[in-house]
Amino acid sequence: MRRLRQIAERTPAGRERYVDLLRALAITMVVIGHWGVTAIGRDAAGRPTGHSALGDLRWAYPLTWVAQVMPVFFLVGGYANAASLTRLRARGGNAAGWLLDRSARLVRPTSALLLVLTGAAAVARLRGVDPTRIREVVWFATIPLWFLVAYLAVVVLTPAMYALHRRFGLAVPLVLVALVGLGDLARLTGSVELSYGSYLFGWLAIHQLGFAWYDTRATPPTAPAAPPTTETAPPSAAADAGEPSDPDQPGVRRRRLPTSRRAGLAFLTSGLAALLLLTGPGPWPVAMLHVPGERLDNLSPPSLALLAVATAQLGLILLLRGPAERLLRRTGPWQLVIGVNLVVLTIFLWHLTAAILLIGLLDTTGTLPTPAAGSGAWWAWRVPWLLLLAAVLAPLVAIFGPVEARSARHRTAPRVGRGTTTRAALTVAGYIAVVVALLINSATPSHAREPFGTPVAALLAYLAGAGVLRLLRSGWGTRG
């Protein structure tokens, strides 16, 4: 608590605290949502199995318009990435250095999860556990990594996309939305493979709006910026939601996101109107989360319906901004937001591992309830289930949270001259290897025979990519 109080006291007056609140709320909703809709049963062999109860709760489908918070992550990510990239360049840094800083915050915590799961899988295999069963457990634990596939890809493209934003402004997300629309048309006409680009175009469109939001904070400079410290803001977002951006430079066209209450109402009503058309007379399902058995999916890849949800959510975010900012000026709420942001990625990465551990513990002790999804017993079990899961997750966060905190304090020193281009190419190659590895893992079926839980090809690609990024962060290749 003392450290949180110190960080809160040193928070710059111009910091956009609302961005940190949105990040904390989004991760909390994801965790509670995943835990809350889990239904536990047993297979033919009597072993515990889990599935989403959403398919049995059709009345809850409209609630997913609020519960689907991935758009909020990408909106906040766009703001944070624009802020940190601008700040680093103002200190003489470049895109490669920024990507290396980002890799420390994203890849290190992910490496901790994968190494622990791989070690546990190896021990289980030595004890004679069936490789298919090992894969099932690891597959469930690594479900959060599908989000990192898209987010890391967006991060790699951030320097180029931010340059496009500075040149063309809000025209960029409009073009990306049009590309998603073409992907939707391809899906509806049976050419599913032509829609795969929407996995990138959809999230990029929302991420670009984060750039535009950041640009609304442009103000004339008053004094040279103070050197950054490691204790002025939540480390996981240090310099991400920082002070106002630099003023427009001559010849650089910026486009700012409208943030007035009128704009908020316009985004909210237009988003809801489009959503009702797309999911009513239109072909898209009402649910914004994956529902087994649905012919179409709004999330894989992102659809126009999901972008309509993102538009409505943006409107709601803008309408609630004033009250939220007043709340965050109070020390208590701001310290709570800081505390969550310190370990936000750790919470996200480990929350399903916590579910696996709790299910295993209850099953071993013969106390695992398996009520039918949607039944009275299932609803009665929700509150104790969530509390027990939180109790299991807490020590995991205590153990692995420091990895994220240390990673957030990493700063790559600006480098120029010989070797800069090579380092930039190696940095991008490292990111690509990590993304490909996580993509292989996500695409490998849960019933595959994988003795290490994670496909060997994915492990090798991940270790290669993460290893290259680690060497580059340490300064490898800069001498001579």
Side-chain angles (χ1 to χ4, degrees):
M1 291 299 295
R2 181 180 178 183
R3 186 188 179 202
L4 292 180
R5 184 170 61 254
Q6 291 174 341
I7 297 175
E9 291 171 351
R10 298 175 184 177
T11 302
R15 184 177 180 84
E16 181 61 88
R17 301 183 183 195
Y18 192 32
V19 169
D20 297 303
L21 173 64
L22 291 173
R23 185 189 295 111
L25 284 176
I27 198 66
T28 301
M29 291 180 64
V30 167
V31 170
I32 293 177
H34 281 170
W35 286 352
V37 300
T38 299
I40 307 300
R42 294 189 181 275
D43 61 17
R47 298 175 302 187
T49 61
H51 68 276
S52 171
L54 195 58
D56 300 304
L57 305 172
R58 299 188 65 87
W59 58 267
Y61 287 3
L63 298 180
T64 64
W65 298 358
V66 176
Q68 176 49 272
V69 292
M70 286 297 111
V72 178
F73 273 113
F74 281 90
L75 175 69
V76 170
Y79 185 106
N81 290 334
S84 58
L85 179 60
T86 300
R87 192 176 302 270
L88 183 67
R89 282 176 167 165
R91 298 199 304 265
N94 55 27
W98 180 81
L99 287 171
L100 288 174
D101 283 348
R102 272 303 190 239
S103 73
R105 298 169 195 173
L106 297 169
V107 176
R108 279 180 179 175
T110 305
S111 298
L113 174 69
L114 285 176
L115 290 175
V116 169
L117 291 176
T118 301
V123 171
R125 186 67 189 117
L126 290 174
R127 293 173 63 88
V129 178
D130 179 52
T132 302
R133 184 61 174 172
I134 293 174
R135 173 58 185 166
E136 289 175 354
V137 173
V138 172
W139 177 87
F140 184 78
T142 56
I143 286 176
L145 297 184
W146 78 262
F147 162 74
L148 282 182
V149 173
Y151 191 72
L152 286 170
V154 168
V155 166
V156 172
L157 293 172
T158 290
M161 297 306 296
Y162 192 54
L164 285 176
H165 167 73
R166 289 165 65 91
R167 180 68 178 85
F168 298 107
L170 293 174
V172 179
L174 290 176
V175 170
L176 291 168
V177 169
L179 291 173
V180 172
L182 291 176
D184 281 4
L185 181 62
R187 271 203 279 178
L188 294 172
T189 56
S191 302
V192 178
E193 63 280 358
L194 297 180
S195 70
Y196 291 164
S198 295
Y199 280 106
L200 190 58
F201 302 144
W203 299 125
L204 278 174
I206 301 170
H207 195 252
Q208 295 292 124
L209 293 179
F211 294 165
W213 185 8
Y214 174 69
D215 277 357
T216 64
R217 293 173 58 77
T219 58
T222 56
T229 69
T230 60
E231 297 293 343
T232 58
S236 65
D240 286 353
E243 293 140 29
S245 60
D246 296 332
D248 288 350
Q249 300 297 321
V252 177
R253 295 165 54 191
R254 293 201 177 199
R255 295 294 183 268
R256 297 171 175 84
L257 182 74
T259 57
S260 66
R261 286 190 60 82
R262 179 178 296 180
L265 284 170
F267 283 128
L268 178 60
T269 54
S270 62
L272 287 176
L275 185 57
L276 291 172
L277 287 174
L278 290 167
T279 60
W284 295 110
V286 174
M288 293 297 139
L289 299 172
H290 175 68
V291 178
E294 288 280 1
R295 185 177 69 89
L296 294 172
D297 193 324
N298 283 311
L299 194 59
S300 299
S303 67
L304 286 176
L306 182 65
L307 295 184
V309 166
T311 303
Q313 289 178 346
L314 173 60
L316 186 61
I317 286 170
L318 294 177
L319 291 174
L320 296 177
R321 184 180 180 185
E325 289 179 337
R326 289 192 292 272
L327 175 67
L328 292 174
R329 284 197 287 266
R330 297 167 54 185
T331 302
W334 178 229
Q335 287 186 16
L336 179 60
V337 170
I338 290 172
V340 176
N341 274 277
L342 284 169
V343 291
V344 65
L345 186 57
T346 304
I347 292 172
F348 177 70
L349 290 175
W350 289 90
H351 76 281
L352 291 183
T353 301
I356 291 170
L357 293 174
L358 179 60
I359 292 169
L361 176 62
L362 295 178
D363 185 53
T364 301
T365 58
T367 57
L368 178 64
T370 57
S375 65
W378 184 82
W379 283 109
W381 174 232
R382 290 308 86 192
V383 172
W385 168 246
L386 293 176
L387 292 176
L388 287 171
L389 284 168
V392 175
L393 179 61
L396 293 175
V397 172
I399 294 169
F400 298 104
V403 175
E404 180 178 356
R406 288 193 299 269
S407 301
R409 293 194 288 267
H410 181 272
R411 294 292 184 273
T412 299
R415 303 181 188 276
V416 295
R418 187 174 61 182
T420 302
T421 302
T422 301
R423 284 175 59 81
L426 288 173
T427 299
V428 173
Y431 264 93
I432 291 174
V434 169
V435 170
V436 169
L438 298 182
L439 185 60
I440 292 172
N441 179 67
S442 298
T444 301
S446 61
H447 55 270
R449 292 182 62 82
E450 296 290 348
F452 295 104
T454 304
V456 173
L459 281 175
L460 293 176
Y462 184 88
L463 292 174
V468 168
L469 293 171
R470 175 66 183 87
L471 286 172
L472 292 172
R473 289 196 301 269
S474 69
W476 175 74
T478 59
R479 296 183 178 86

